[in-house]
Amino acid sequence: MTSELNDLFQRNRVWAADMVATRPSFFTDLLAQQSPQYMWIGCSDSRVPANQITGLAPGEVFVHRNVANVVVPTDLNCLSTIQYAVDMLKVQHLMVVGHYGCGGVQAALRDVRVGLADNWLRHIKDVRDRHAPLLAATPEQHRADVLCELNAIEQVMNVAQTTVVQDAWARGQPLTLHGWVYGLRDGLLHDMHMTVDSKAQIEAVYRAAVAGVGAVRQS
């Protein structure tokens, strides 16, 4: 094993020892059950770790990550994770979290070829094309940030339209969806005001969230 990997094992041992010293029952409690209130769907970017950003411990947030935090009905990996979180873990809040400076969003905005991932980024290009007038009216230096925001909003819409979420709402299960964007520059989460907890809210909240993005960035 390389020295770099040995270093990871050493860091793991130090971390585990620190956790036990701080909270002796920590690993026993984790082993007993998994009962997070939150699910985080985020980007795979290594600079955006869900637990650290939110200050939550292991076991407190259920996480799914992929390139550019995309949710599409053909992605059984993502949908299965959502189904487990909603139906089995009974999470009460599901957040789709983009981040400013997202390489996938920037590639989609500028039609930069990156390889196999171009097929995945087509979904973000669809967001770009759907909101072309808003992006065209946005100063060029802000367009990547605006597309990050719009992408988070659109992916919440996609989550809201899944059969898993629709069925949960139909049976009266408490579940609220949120669209956020994380700032690499300041470490802060930004609320896109795309927050829905019922089927009836979706369209009105969506329109207001998109209008809000346009108003802020074009002012």
Side-chain angles (χ1 to χ4, degrees), residues 175-191:
L175 176 63
T176 305
L177 311 181
H178 310 267
W180 298 347
V181 178
Y182 172 69
L184 293 173
R185 298 182 186 90
D186 56 15
L188 299 179
L189 289 165
H190 301 264
D191 186 1

Side-chain angles (χ1 to χ4, degrees), residues 45-196:
D45 193 302
S46 60
R47 301 167 294 177
V48 192
N51 287 79
Q52 289 173 271
I53 288 169
T54 54
L56 295 174
E60 294 184 330
V61 57
F62 196 62
V63 178
H64 176 82
R65 297 170 69 176
N66 60 43
V67 174
N69 48 275
V70 170
V71 178
V72 291
T74 54
D75 182 1
L76 295 183
N77 183 0
C78 183
L79 296 185
S80 296
T81 309
I82 292 173
Q83 187 270 325
Y84 189 83
V86 173
D87 292 351
M88 305 302 293
L89 299 178
K90 307 295 184 185
V91 298
Q92 296 186 28
H93 298 275
L94 190 159
M95 300 87 75
V96 178
V97 187
H99 69 95
Y100 298 121
C102 179
V105 169
Q106 292 174 354
L109 177 66
R110 302 184 175 100
D111 275 321
V112 175
R113 292 291 301 274
V114 297
L116 182 61
D118 294 329
N119 300 281
W120 182 254
L121 298 179
R122 178 66 253 175
H123 300 297
I124 304 176
K125 291 181 181 181
D126 290 342
V127 175
R128 176 201 65 188
D129 296 346
R130 185 174 304 121
H131 298 284
L134 192 160
L135 288 166
T138 300
E140 186 174 359
Q141 67 270 27
H142 297 309
R143 286 177 189 165
D145 286 350
V146 166
L147 187 52
C148 286
E149 295 168 355
L150 293 170
N151 186 51
I153 291 169
E154 290 289 348
Q155 302 315 319
V156 172
M157 283 290 285
N158 290 345
V159 175
Q161 292 165 353
T162 62
T163 56
V164 173
V165 171
Q166 294 280 314
D167 289 348
W169 284 338
R171 62 178 176 261
Q173 181 176 333
L175 176 63
T176 305
L177 311 181
H178 310 267
W180 298 347
V181 178
Y182 172 69
L184 293 173
R185 298 182 186 90
D186 56 15
L188 299 179
L189 289 165
H190 301 264
D191 186 1
M192 296 297 102
H193 303 290
M194 183 62 191
T195 301
V196 293

Side-chain angles (χ1 to χ4, degrees), residues 12-27 30 57-58:
N12 167 252
R13 292 181 176 89
V14 171
W15 171 77
D18 287 344
M19 295 303 295
V20 171
T22 303
R23 182 175 154 191
S25 65
F26 178 79
F27 292 108
L30 279 184

